[in-house]
Amino acid sequence: MIGQRAEAIAHPNIALAKYWGKLDEAQNLPAVPSLSLTLAGMSTRAAVQFDPALSADAVEIDGRPATAPAAARVAALLDLVWQAPGGPGGARPPAAVQSANDFPTAAGLASSASAFAALAVAASAAAGARWSEAELSDLARRISASAARSVFGGFVELPAATAVAPALSARPLAGPEHWDLRMIVAVTTEEAKTVGSTQGMLRTARTSPLYAGWLAVAPGIFAAVREAVLRRDLERLGEAAERSALAMHATALAAEPGLLYWNGATVELMAEVRRLRAGGLAAYFTIDAGPHVKVLTVPEEVDRVRDRLAVVPGVLRTIVARPGAGARLCSVAAQPGESP
Ligand code: DP6
């Protein structure tokens, strides 16, 4: 029933095989396959209510009115939900949207992934649509490709688009119970990044002479990550994940102007992770479009690895996360006076 307020929750994910580059910008189709781990312990809650009495969308993020670009992305998702086959169709009424993270946005975790996964689930329920997880993932992917993966829990893959096809969803490879790993996030700044992922990857594709090389190696790295996850082979997984992150950053560094997402602490952390490994500990890094370093390890070694990362100069704090569940609906409430 339209008019009901729906609330959903979703968790961020960290890619072990990175998505960087689009086959098609307008459709937001990834040019390379990616594979991520959805993380428990941090979440975005999103609530949506379509309300014809409103004069315009009212979008709040973390208790404040959304910036114009963020509100436009939310509106684009609401439009897609409204117009998709199985949705209400016709002119979309304005909506009240509240989205809140329980982790700092500057923590270097992809808040857009959990935010748009939670929003896709909440908005579809608020619109009275009943879509499969694959359909919800496809909707979220159109706004932010990494969000397609946060619809599912555990280890999740998002294939590359092979043609400008209308639909592309992430799919679960193995649930959170498949492998009890830990991801330690070493936070190295409170500042927001200067160039977002979307702009960064567009600039890379247009100007980096290494972009063709990235497109050539990424599918093989993805295949190695995928196989290592299925076999629970941490050494092969970690080495492939580092290759993916380093190849992505090398390609972005060669763009014009070069995309330098790292700070000094990022480099110190990479070196420390390599030293930890040389000393016999299981520790492998990955880095997204920002200066924070995420380190994959096992539960038995998480305290020792964390203690070493925490004292690397420039590290502000560390966060430990474990494999988490997919996006889900928390509540659907009818407006007062309506039957549920
Ligand atoms: C480095 O999903 O934020 O985190 O589709 O343009 O919204 P858009 O990009 P986004 O890019 C994520 C890039 C990354 C790697 C990854 O998560 O795979």
Side-chain angles (χ1 to χ4, degrees), residues 15 19-20 22 28 73 144-146 149 197-198 201 248 288:
Y19 148 58
W20 194 254
K22 299 175 196 280
N28 204 36
R73 275 182 114 182
S144 186
S146 55
R149 300 185 309 235
S197 302
T198 307
M201 66 178 85
M248 177 201 125
D288 291 306

Side-chain angles (χ1 to χ4, degrees), residues 25 198-209 211 255-256:
E25 265 178 60
T198 307
Q199 290 315 312
M201 66 178 85
L202 294 180
R203 187 193 296 174
T204 303
R206 283 185 195 133
T207 67
S208 174
Y211 185 61
E256 213 182 305

Side-chain angles (χ1 to χ4, degrees), residues 209-235:
L210 306 188
Y211 185 61
W214 163 250
L215 294 181
V217 298
I221 300 176
F222 164 82
V225 166
R226 187 177 193 279
E227 201 186 308
V229 165
L230 291 174
R231 290 171 184 235
R232 297 192 194 92
D233 182 336
L234 184 59
E235 190 175 339

Side-chain angles (χ1 to χ4, degrees), residues 177-299:
E177 70 296 335
H178 170 70
W179 197 358
D180 191 24
L181 292 177
R182 293 291 180 276
M183 184 76 87
I184 307 173
V185 183
V187 178
T188 66
T189 181
E190 302 291 0
E191 280 165 35
K193 59 192 166 200
T194 47
V195 184
S197 302
T198 307
Q199 290 315 312
M201 66 178 85
L202 294 180
R203 187 193 296 174
T204 303
R206 283 185 195 133
T207 67
S208 174
L210 306 188
Y211 185 61
W214 163 250
L215 294 181
V217 298
I221 300 176
F222 164 82
V225 166
R226 187 177 193 279
E227 201 186 308
V229 165
L230 291 174
R231 290 171 184 235
R232 297 192 194 92
D233 182 336
L234 184 59
E235 190 175 339
R236 288 182 67 185
L237 172 61
E239 284 173 0
E242 287 194 1
R243 269 203 310 285
S244 178
L246 290 172
M248 177 201 125
H249 281 274
T251 310
L253 281 162
E256 213 182 305
L259 289 154
L260 181 54
Y261 284 115
W262 302 346
N263 58 28
T266 317
V267 180
E268 293 297 342
L269 280 161
M270 286 189 276
E272 182 65 8
V273 167
R274 293 272 169 100
R275 275 192 292 270
L276 288 169
R277 263 208 322 276
L281 287 175
Y284 300 88
F285 63 77
T286 186
I287 306 164
D288 291 306
H292 316 289
V293 177
K294 291 106 183 189
V295 178
L296 201 57
T297 188
V298 289

